[in-house]
Amino acid sequence: MRLTIERAAVKVYPDMKRVIARFFFYGEERARHVIGRVMALSEEEVFSTISPILQEYSKRHRNITRVLNRHCARLQELFPALGLDFEKTAPYRKLLLGSYFTHEYSIESAAFFNPSIVEDPDQSELEAGQKRIIVSFRAVGEGHISSIVFRRAVLDQDANIHVLPAGNYIDEAETVRSAVYTKEAFFAQDFAARLPAAAVAEVAARLADRFEYNQFQKVVLEAQAAQPDAALKSGYDQVLWLADTYYELTFSLDTDLSDRVLFPVSDFERKGMEDARFVRFVEDDGSIVYYATYTAYDGLGIAPKLLMTRDFYTFRGMPLHGAGAHNKNLALFPRKVNGRYAMLSRIDGWRNYLMFSDHLTLWEHAVQIQEPQSPWEFIQIGNCGPPIETSEGWLVITHGVGPMRRYCLGVSLLDLNDPAVEIGRLSEPLLIPNKEEREGYVPNVLYSCGSIIHNGKLVIPYGLSDYCSSFVTVDLKRLLEKLLDECSAVAAPAAPLVAAVS
């Protein structure tokens, strides 16, 4: 039996016009000079300079005055040394100061790929057979900094996808750090091992077993002030950054989903939030929460992290701990399995593992469940998103890396009650990059971070060599039959597996 896959004509491309206004700081010395020059301008010069800026950039940002005032406020601590009173500074002058410390960043200018799909919390006002979905993407801009962006889409009764146009503006969230931390877990983070050991030990000794961000900040700053060696003072700044791995992000309620960008806010992910795998998780009481595992990258090392949201307006970020929380490719199951959280991982970089835990953020023991078998995946095998529950087992989209570092998509089936048992795997790829898909930012790579089932069809979003994203569908019943047939006929000669339909 051959499987027929259908490539959608829809492609989602990056848009260089989608920009955010970010704080731009070029060091205290130059900043003091800029502040002094702006403060020396007459009121007429201030107004004539800021007025055209506001007119031009109000067309590019939802509330440019709010942004400029926020960036100006970050300069407040420099005012006393200059003999200036921040509170008495006139409103237009504050806006002008903020503009000198603002730059636009095009979040999608370099690449747009590695999508995942989840069901939208809002399923109102749809026609029979339709489903509204949320598609997340990894967007890459200048300096190869990765962020997470979204689009809304609708699947019709035949699982054809209709991606809605993106909004005209894009916003970063407000960041709130108000979590209560447990000392043991806080300093067990992988990030902590990269910090100055003496500073970490001193701060940890001064903290209670449970503490809040403000308490932690006070302890760090006091220890830093008491440090006599100026060369060691910067180490306390690094310790302070450790708390930035926990945060809450809140978007304005007047933003469209496509307006919201999850841009790195922690120093430990300053180079990117990579490959988010969103999953619609059903709690024991039937309530719904959305989680996303992603890879934090600081330019030197990586670490897995977790996002949580219920409405896609407020997101809570937190690190993952334990011996099993390493490397990339962590993907959470959409419900507990036998009363425990379950997670796929690739802790050694080239084989698939399964983990169970009683705590969502603590993962200790990983059991290998898959390794490369076929030539197209000899280099590595990994998951392409959270497992999907079917009547026959847990459906797992995989990626395999073979000759010429070509990434292809495959499919496996795990036992529903014991996911450590593989009961089916396609011997050949489900999807191989064709001539149109192999050229891009990273050639010969097809990759996905999460799929969905709708009306008997498996819908897989995928990145095309990292330059844009598209979608493919396959009949679920036939796919499951093929998986079970291949499992029961391992010794049979391989037949052609996939017939592609453009």
Side-chain angles (χ1 to χ4, degrees), residues 3 350-352 368-378 380-382 394-400 410-414 421-430 479-490 497:
L3 287 174
W350 62 284
R351 292 175 293 191
N352 272 334
Q368 181 193 322
I369 60 171
Q370 289 182 315
E371 65 180 8
Q373 290 182 351
S374 303
W376 61 276
E377 61 185 9
F378 275 179
Q380 75 184 46
I381 183 174
W394 293 105
L395 195 67
V396 179
I397 312 304
T398 63
H399 71 267
V411 185
S412 297
L413 193 65
L414 307 180
V421 177
E422 182 184 55
I423 58 177
R425 189 198 300 196
L426 297 185
S427 59
E428 296 183 13
L430 180 73
L479 174 60
L480 292 173
E481 289 173 351
K482 182 67 176 176
L483 284 163
L484 295 173
D485 285 346
E486 292 218 351
C487 180
S488 61
V490 175
L497 178 63

Side-chain angles (χ1 to χ4, degrees), residues 337-413:
V337 179
N338 299 322
R340 307 183 75 196
Y341 295 105
M343 181 96 77
L344 294 179
S345 67
R346 200 190 69 204
I347 60 173
D348 61 7
W350 62 284
R351 292 175 293 191
N352 272 334
Y353 289 77
L354 175 68
M355 301 183 290
F356 290 97
S357 178
D358 295 320
H359 305 284
L360 190 58
T361 59
L362 180 62
W363 301 90
E364 290 291 358
H365 306 292
V367 177
Q368 181 193 322
I369 60 171
Q370 289 182 315
E371 65 180 8
Q373 290 182 351
S374 303
W376 61 276
E377 61 185 9
F378 275 179
I379 292 177
Q380 75 184 46
I381 183 174
N383 73 73
C384 276
I388 304 171
E389 187 169 6
T390 74
S391 60
E392 301 295 335
W394 293 105
L395 195 67
V396 179
I397 312 304
T398 63
H399 71 267
V401 183
M404 302 300 295
R405 195 177 173 267
R406 185 180 67 174
Y407 277 65
C408 303
L409 302 188
V411 185
S412 297
L413 193 65

Side-chain angles (χ1 to χ4, degrees), residues 219-230:
V219 167
V220 173
L221 294 178
E222 287 176 352
Q224 184 181 49
Q227 173 57 250
D229 190 338

Side-chain angles (χ1 to χ4, degrees), residues 114-189:
N114 295 1
S116 75
I117 288 179
V118 289
E119 179 180 320
D120 195 314
D122 178 13
Q123 294 296 314
S124 63
E125 300 181 4
L126 294 175
E127 297 178 7
Q130 290 184 328
K131 177 175 286 186
R132 186 176 289 115
I133 58 174
I134 292 174
V135 190
S136 67
F137 300 89
R138 176 180 170 188
V140 177
E142 177 188 352
H144 200 81
I145 298 176
S146 299
S147 57
I148 302 169
V149 299
F150 304 97
R151 299 288 192 276
R152 270 202 169 94
V154 174
L155 293 169
D156 66 21
Q157 61 182 1
D158 298 316
N160 299 309
I161 191 165
H162 306 271
V163 180
L164 303 183
N168 295 324
Y169 301 103
I170 189 161
D171 276 355
E172 289 186 86
E174 296 291 337
T175 305
V176 179
R177 295 183 179 88
S178 57
V180 176
Y181 310 110
T182 301
K183 182 160 66 172
E184 182 179 1
F186 184 82
F187 289 104
Q189 297 180 61

